[in-house]
């Protein structure tokens, strides 16, 4: 039982490049979330999904897109990376009222 | 003002000490989470509380809904407890978590 798995774990991008972060969960959770973590700040919600085929904006959605084509996967895309998107990204899954399960994080540097 | 405030920001303790980390919030909540993040590591959920008190090993979490306050206690602290401890609340009117900035704990042998 892997829980929540994020790939990749590390990535360096040049400004303007694009990439996709993959989050996979094997717990049959309906809800999935993408957060970013920056020094001196709490985790901030980028986008979330309450079920397959649905997505919604969080607190800091600009510059990111997401898709939830399969219940177990939640993809976070950066179409044109900017240095301000240098951060550690966490995926989580769960359901309101249940425990929250987090992935190990993806450290992204945009140069 | 942040909706979730943690104190202290940083905490250094000697092995064996009793540790308390505090969390205050300003919104009505349906649940409060305490999370642990080790350096370079992922985030692990320690407790989810909606009332009262929970205990797991040397960790105790309490919540006072009327006071909008929660505490995380660590008894007989150990260097392996060194981590960032994060408080997060789930508002009554929304399903998403609102996070505090975390408390960095360092336990010296």
């Amino acid at each position: 039982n892997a829980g929540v798995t994020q790939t990749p774990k590390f990535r360096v991008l040049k400004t303007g490049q694009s990439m996709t972060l993959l989050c996979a969960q094997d717990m049959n959770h309906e809800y999935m979330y993408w957060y970013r973590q920056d020094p001196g700040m709490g985790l901030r919600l980028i986008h979330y999904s309450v079920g397959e085929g649905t997505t919604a904006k969080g607190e800091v959605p600009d510059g990111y897109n997401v898709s939830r084509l399969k219940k177990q996967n939640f993809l976070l895309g950066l179409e044109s990376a900017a240095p301000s998107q240098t951060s550690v990204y966490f995926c989580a899954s769960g359901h309101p009222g249940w425990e929250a399960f987090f992935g190990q994080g993806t450290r992204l540097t945009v140069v | 003002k942040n909706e979730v405030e943690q104190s202290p920001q940083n905490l250094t303790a000697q092995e064996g000490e009793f540790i308390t980390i505090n969390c205050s919030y300003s919104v009505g909540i349906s649940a409060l989470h305490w999370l642990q993040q080790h350096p370079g590591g992922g985030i692990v959920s320690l407790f989810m509380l909606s009332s009262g008190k929970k205990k797991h090993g040397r960790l105790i979490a309490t919540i006072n809904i009327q006071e909008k306050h929660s505490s995380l206690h660590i008894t007989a602290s150990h260097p392996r407890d060194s981590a960032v401890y994060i408080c997060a609340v789930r508002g009554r009117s929304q399903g998403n978590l609102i996070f505090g900035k975390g408390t960095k704990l360092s336990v010296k042998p």
Side-chain angles (χ1 to χ4, degrees):
Chain A
N1 189 341
V4 179
T5 304
Q6 290 181 231
T7 52
K9 290 187 171 43
F10 301 94
R11 185 74 187 266
V12 178
L13 281 181
K14 292 183 179 178
T15 297
Q17 285 186 318
S18 63
M19 78 163 294
T20 300
L21 283 67
L22 170 64
C23 176
Q25 54 98 359
D26 60 4
M27 295 170 284
N28 204 36
H29 287 156
E30 290 293 335
Y31 285 58
M32 296 186 75
Y33 310 83
W34 275 108
Y35 298 96
R36 59 179 290 172
Q37 185 180 42
D38 300 295
M41 304 185 77
L43 283 134
R44 292 182 293 168
L45 182 64
I46 305 171
H47 286 279
Y48 65 101
S49 167
V50 301
E52 182 179 316
T54 74
T55 63
K57 293 181 180 180
E59 181 185 354
V60 288
D62 294 342
Y64 305 96
N65 56 74
V66 287
S67 64
R68 184 102 180 265
L69 299 179
K70 294 183 180 180
K71 187 177 183 179
Q72 63 268 34
N73 295 335
F74 194 29
L75 279 64
L76 178 70
L78 286 74
E79 287 187 351
S80 180
S84 61
Q85 294 177 304
T86 293
S87 187
V88 182
Y89 292 85
F90 284 95
C91 175
S93 73
H95 187 90
W98 295 5
E99 299 288 337
F101 295 86
F102 287 81
Q104 288 296 302
T106 296
R107 187 173 294 275
L108 174 66
T109 302
V110 182
V111 297
Chain B
K1 186 179 184 301
N2 291 330
E3 291 171 296
V4 180
E5 297 274 2
Q6 287 185 237
S7 63
Q9 225 174 324
N10 294 282
L11 181 56
T12 300
Q14 288 298 126
E15 184 173 356
E17 284 185 1
F18 180 85
I19 287 161
T20 296
I21 299 170
N22 296 299
C23 175
S24 297
Y25 53 91
S26 58
V27 297
I29 67 167
S30 59
L32 181 144
H33 293 254
W34 280 104
L35 310 164
Q36 182 190 55
Q37 183 176 24
H38 280 282
I43 297 169
V44 176
S45 179
L46 297 174
F47 295 103
M48 186 180 70
L49 294 161
S50 55
S51 64
K53 178 178 172 178
K54 285 190 176 180
K55 185 174 189 290
H56 181 69
R58 295 179 295 104
L59 301 178
I60 303 165
T62 63
I63 188 168
N64 184 321
I65 297 292
Q66 287 73 30
E67 297 289 324
K68 290 189 167 68
H69 181 269
S70 175
S71 293
L72 176 69
H73 305 286
I74 304 175
T75 62
S77 60
H78 190 276
R80 65 174 175 266
D81 296 326
S82 298
V84 175
Y85 292 84
I86 301 169
C87 172
V89 302
R90 195 179 302 281
R92 270 199 232 108
S93 60
Q94 59 181 32
N96 306 323
L97 289 172
I98 307 167
F99 294 82
K101 294 181 181 180
T103 295
K104 185 175 181 180
L105 171 65
S106 177
V107 181
K108 306 293 186 188

